[in-house]
Each structure stands twice: as structure tokens, then as C-alpha cells.
């Protein structure tokens, strides 16, 4: 809610003079500005330029797991041995998953 800090402030006497109808009108005006809109419906109408990557072919060279790496049995990411937190029953866990 925007506040005008330069506007003169009301003192206690001015607040007491406000009528009930005026206060009710202010309350209904605040709620009339609220818009209930579904974000997913609004986003469906937008199409980003260049977002269609169906015709693209990725050329990435994939290397096999190296001797100094392990696959975490929790997150299934390949980490360097320095990130090994513990190994229990052949299950290796990285430091991120162990935290």
C-alpha cells in the first residue's frame, strides 16, 4: 500500500470525527483493488521467442566416471572422492546429502 509521507497527519480529534460510513467506504475500496488471477492460465498465453528447442541437436562429449570419482547413492550425481562423506555397505554418500 502506497503511503504519502508528505500529506498532513490526522490528529486524534480528526480521527474521532470520521463517520462510520466513511470508514466502511475506505475498507471496501481497499479490497476492490485485489484481482484473483490464476498464474498458470495467464502464463499459457505467452510464448517466448526462441523457446522451441525441439529441432536442436546437442553436441556434448560425455566422459565415463573417472577412477577418482564416485556416484552418490542418494542424489545419483558423480562427485570427486574429496566429497565423499561416508560409505556404508557399499553405498557411497556425498557431503551434500549427508548434511
Amino acid at each position: 500500500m502506497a503511503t504519502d509521507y508528505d500529506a498532513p497527519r490526522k490528529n486524534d480529534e480528526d480521527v474521532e470525527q470520521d463517520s462510520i460510513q466513511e470508514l466502511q467506504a475506505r475498507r471496501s475500496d481497499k479490497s476492490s483493488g485485489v484481482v484473483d488471477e490464476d498464474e498458470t492460465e495467464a502464463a499459457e498465453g505467452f510464448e517466448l521467442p526462441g523457446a522451441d528447442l525441439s529441432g536442436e541437436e546437442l553436441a556434448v562429449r560425455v566422459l565415463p566416471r573417472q577412477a577418482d570419482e564416485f556416484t552418490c547413492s542418494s542424489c545419483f550425481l558423480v562427485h570427486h572422492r574429496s566429497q565423499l562423506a561416508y560409505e556404508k555397505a557399499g553405498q557411497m554418500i556425498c557431503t551434500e546429502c549427508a548434511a
Side-chain angles (χ1 to χ4, degrees):
M1 181 168 119
T3 303
D4 184 10
Y5 292 105
D6 294 330
R9 295 185 181 178
K10 290 185 176 184
N11 57 22
D12 291 335
E13 294 172 6
D14 293 338
V15 173
E16 291 173 3
Q17 293 176 0
D18 286 340
S19 65
I20 293 178
Q21 291 84 9
E22 187 178 334
L23 294 174
Q24 289 174 343
R26 283 190 211 160
R27 183 175 63 197
S28 65
D29 287 344
K30 289 180 184 178
S31 63
S32 66
V34 177
V35 176
D36 188 20
E37 183 178 336
D38 189 14
E39 294 176 7
T40 54
E41 288 180 14
E44 286 176 358
F46 296 117
E47 188 166 331
L48 299 174
D52 184 20
L53 299 176
S54 60
E56 290 294 317
E57 213 174 295
L58 299 177
V60 178
R61 189 171 151 219
V62 178
L63 297 175
R65 187 177 66 212
Q66 303 297 309
D68 61 344
E69 295 176 333
F70 72 98
T71 303
C72 177
S73 60
S74 180
C75 66
F76 303 104
L77 293 176
V78 176
H79 295 282
H80 188 265
R81 286 266 180 202
S82 63
Q83 294 179 336
L84 179 64
Y86 61 88
E87 181 178 359
K88 183 191 289 185
Q91 302 289 324
M92 298 181 180
I93 304 293
C94 69
T95 54
E96 292 178 19
C97 293

